[in-house]
């Protein structure tokens, strides 16, 4: 896997589905170093074995690497955060792969994709309510 050679501890692989409607969504996998990958996939936060990562990369294509910036102390704290959430259940709106990657890298659970989706949904509902008033 050439990708591993480009990664540093606590970097995040951002990937997209190779085809289908879900191609619009980004998917996030955290690299912890020494060949270890972790992510909030398939039900919960877990270490991703190489065989499963290979299977994932058949359906998903890495589009960029989100680099971790920080010193060695920051790297160790981020790795500690990564392991703290092992086993935490996946929730599309509350704790998805983006929430997890942001938690590991920045110490904050957030998902720009969820926020954007909710804003779009709110806008659609608002427009629908406005058109019903006429």
């Amino acid at each position: 896997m050439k990708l591993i050679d480009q990664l540093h501890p606590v970097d995040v692989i951002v990937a997209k589905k190779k085809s289908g409607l879900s191609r619009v969504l980004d998917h996030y996998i955290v690299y912890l170093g020494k060949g270890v990958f972790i992510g909030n996939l398939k039900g919960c936060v877990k270490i991703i074995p190489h065989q499963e990562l290979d299977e994932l990369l058949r359906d998903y294509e890495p589009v960029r690497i989100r680099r971790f910036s920080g010193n060695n102390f920051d790297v160790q704290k981020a790795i500690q955060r990564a392991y703290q959430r092992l086993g935490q259940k996946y929730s599309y709106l509350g704790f998805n792969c983006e929430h997890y990657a942001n938690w590991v890298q920045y110490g904050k659970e957030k998902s720009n994709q969820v926020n954007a989706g909710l804003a779009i949904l709110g806008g659609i509902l608002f427009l629908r309510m406005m058109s019903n008033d006429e």
Side-chain angles (χ1 to χ4, degrees), residues 5 9 12 19 32 34 39 41 44 65 67-68 72 78-79 81-82 92-94 106 108-109 113 119 129-130 134:
D5 297 335
V12 171
S19 62
L32 296 182
K34 300 180 184 173
L41 308 167
C44 68
I65 296 169
R67 298 284 181 203
F68 180 74
N72 286 338
I79 290 172
R81 282 194 298 273
Y92 182 75
L93 295 177
Y106 310 121
K108 296 179 182 176
E109 291 177 26
Q113 294 178 116
M129 286 177 18
M130 295 301 290
E134 295 176 11

Coordinates of all heavy atoms in Angstrom, one line a residue, residues 5 9 12 19 32 34 39 41 44 65 67-68 72 78-79 81-82 92-94 106 108-109 113 119 129-130 134:
D5 N 3.0 4.8 3.1 CA 4.3 5.5 3.0 C 4.2 7.0 3.1 O 5.2 7.7 3.5 CB 5.1 5.1 1.7 CG 5.4 3.6 1.7 OD1 5.5 3.0 2.7 OD2 5.5 3.1 0.5
P9 N 1.8 9.7 11.9 CA 0.9 9.4 13.0 C -0.2 10.5 13.1 O 0.1 11.7 13.1 CB 1.7 9.3 14.2 CG 3.0 8.8 13.7 CD 3.2 9.5 12.4
V12 N -5.3 11.8 8.8 CA -6.6 11.2 8.5 C -6.7 11.0 7.0 O -6.4 11.9 6.2 CB -7.7 12.1 9.0 CG1 -9.1 11.7 8.5 CG2 -7.7 12.2 10.5
S19 N -18.3 4.8 -6.4 CA -19.5 5.0 -7.3 C -20.8 5.1 -6.4 O -20.7 4.8 -5.2 CB -19.7 3.9 -8.3 OG -19.8 2.7 -7.6
L32 N -2.7 5.8 13.0 CA -2.1 6.0 14.3 C -0.5 5.8 14.3 O 0.1 6.0 15.3 CB -2.7 5.1 15.4 CG -4.1 5.4 15.7 CD1 -4.6 4.4 16.8 CD2 -4.4 6.8 16.1
K34 N 2.8 3.1 12.8 CA 3.2 1.7 12.8 C 2.2 0.7 12.2 O 2.0 -0.4 12.6 CB 3.4 1.3 14.3 CG 4.5 2.1 15.0 CD 4.7 1.7 16.4 CE 5.8 2.6 17.0 NZ 5.9 2.4 18.4
G39 N -11.0 3.7 13.0 CA -12.1 4.5 12.5 C -13.4 4.1 13.1 O -13.5 3.1 13.7
L41 N -16.3 2.9 11.9 CA -16.9 2.2 10.8 C -17.6 1.0 11.2 O -17.2 0.3 12.2 CB -15.8 1.9 9.8 CG -14.9 3.0 9.3 CD1 -13.7 2.4 8.6 CD2 -15.6 4.0 8.5
C44 N -19.0 0.7 15.1 CA -18.4 1.3 16.3 C -16.9 1.7 15.9 O -16.4 1.3 14.9 CB -18.4 0.4 17.5 SG -17.4 -1.1 17.3
I65 N -5.2 13.5 2.1 CA -4.8 13.2 3.5 C -4.9 14.5 4.3 O -4.3 15.5 3.9 CB -3.3 12.7 3.5 CG1 -3.2 11.4 2.7 CG2 -2.8 12.5 4.9 CD1 -1.8 10.9 2.5
R67 N -3.5 16.2 7.2 CA -2.4 16.1 8.0 C -2.7 16.6 9.5 O -3.4 17.5 9.7 CB -1.2 17.0 7.5 CG -0.7 16.6 6.1 CD 0.1 15.3 6.2 NE 0.6 15.0 4.9 CZ 0.9 13.7 4.6 NH1 0.9 12.8 5.5 NH2 1.3 13.4 3.4
F68 N -2.0 15.9 10.4 CA -2.1 16.4 11.8 C -1.0 17.3 12.0 O 0.2 17.1 11.7 CB -2.0 15.2 12.7 CG -2.0 15.5 14.2 CD1 -3.2 15.9 14.7 CD2 -0.9 15.5 15.0 CE1 -3.3 16.3 16.1 CE2 -1.0 15.9 16.3 CZ -2.2 16.2 16.9
N72 N 5.4 16.3 19.3 CA 5.3 14.9 19.7 C 4.3 14.7 20.9 O 3.6 13.7 21.0 CB 6.7 14.4 20.2 CG 7.5 14.1 18.9 OD1 7.0 13.9 17.8 ND2 8.9 14.1 19.1
A78 N -3.3 12.9 21.0 CA -4.3 12.5 20.0 C -4.4 11.0 19.9 O -5.5 10.5 19.8 CB -3.9 13.1 18.7
I79 N -3.3 10.3 20.0 CA -3.4 8.8 20.0 C -4.1 8.3 21.2 O -4.9 7.4 21.1 CB -2.0 8.2 19.9 CG1 -1.4 8.5 18.5 CG2 -2.0 6.7 20.2 CD1 0.1 8.1 18.3
R81 N -6.5 9.9 22.8 CA -8.0 10.2 22.5 C -8.5 9.1 21.6 O -9.6 8.7 21.8 CB -8.1 11.6 21.8 CG -8.1 12.7 22.8 CD -8.6 14.0 22.2 NE -7.8 14.5 21.0 CZ -6.8 15.2 21.1 NH1 -6.3 15.7 22.3 NH2 -6.1 15.6 20.0
A82 N -7.7 8.7 20.6 CA -8.2 7.7 19.6 C -8.6 6.4 20.3 O -9.7 5.8 20.1 CB -7.1 7.4 18.6
Y92 N -25.0 8.2 12.8 CA -24.9 9.1 11.7 C -24.9 10.5 12.0 O -24.0 11.3 11.6 CB -25.9 8.7 10.6 CG -25.8 9.6 9.4 CD1 -24.8 9.3 8.5 CD2 -26.6 10.7 9.2 CE1 -24.6 10.1 7.3 CE2 -26.5 11.4 8.0 CZ -25.5 11.1 7.1 OH -25.3 11.9 6.0
L93 N -25.8 10.9 12.9 CA -26.0 12.4 13.2 C -25.1 12.7 14.4 O -24.7 13.9 14.5 CB -27.4 12.7 13.5 CG -28.3 12.7 12.3 CD1 -29.8 13.0 12.7 CD2 -27.9 13.6 11.1
G94 N -24.9 11.8 15.4 CA -24.3 12.2 16.6 C -22.8 11.8 16.8 O -22.1 12.5 17.5
Y106 N -8.5 17.1 16.8 CA -8.7 18.4 17.4 C -9.3 18.4 18.8 O -9.4 19.4 19.5 CB -9.6 19.2 16.5 CG -9.2 19.2 15.1 CD1 -10.1 18.8 14.1 CD2 -8.0 19.7 14.7 CE1 -9.8 18.8 12.8 CE2 -7.6 19.7 13.3 CZ -8.5 19.3 12.4 OH -8.2 19.3 11.1
K108 N -12.3 17.8 19.5 CA -13.7 18.3 19.4 C -14.5 17.4 18.4 O -14.1 17.1 17.3 CB -13.7 19.7 18.8 CG -13.1 20.7 19.7 CD -13.1 22.1 19.1 CE -12.3 23.0 20.1 NZ -12.2 24.3 19.5
E109 N -15.6 16.9 18.9 CA -16.5 16.1 18.1 C -17.4 17.1 17.2 O -18.2 17.8 17.8 CB -17.5 15.3 18.9 CG -16.9 14.2 19.7 CD -17.9 13.5 20.6 OE1 -19.1 13.5 20.2 OE2 -17.5 12.9 21.6
Q113 N -20.2 17.8 7.6 CA -21.2 17.2 6.7 C -22.6 17.1 7.3 O -23.6 17.4 6.7 CB -20.8 15.8 6.3 CG -19.5 15.8 5.5 CD -19.1 14.4 5.1 OE1 -19.0 14.0 3.9 NE2 -18.7 13.6 6.1
A119 N -28.5 22.0 7.7 CA -28.8 23.4 7.2 C -29.6 23.3 5.9 O -30.6 24.1 5.7 CB -27.5 24.2 7.0
M129 N -42.5 25.6 3.9 CA -43.5 26.3 4.7 C -43.9 27.6 4.1 O -45.1 28.0 4.1 CB -42.9 26.5 6.1 CG -42.9 25.3 7.0 SD -42.1 25.4 8.6 CE -42.1 27.1 9.0
M130 N -42.9 28.3 3.5 CA -43.2 29.6 2.9 C -44.1 29.4 1.7 O -45.0 30.2 1.5 CB -41.9 30.3 2.5 CG -41.0 30.7 3.7 SD -41.8 31.8 4.8 CE -41.9 33.3 3.9
E134 N -48.6 30.7 0.8 CA -49.1 31.5 -0.3 C -50.4 30.9 -0.9 O -50.9 30.0 -0.8 CB -48.1 31.5 -1.4 CG -46.9 32.2 -1.0 CD -45.8 32.2 -2.1 OE1 -46.0 31.8 -3.2 OE2 -44.7 32.6 -1.7

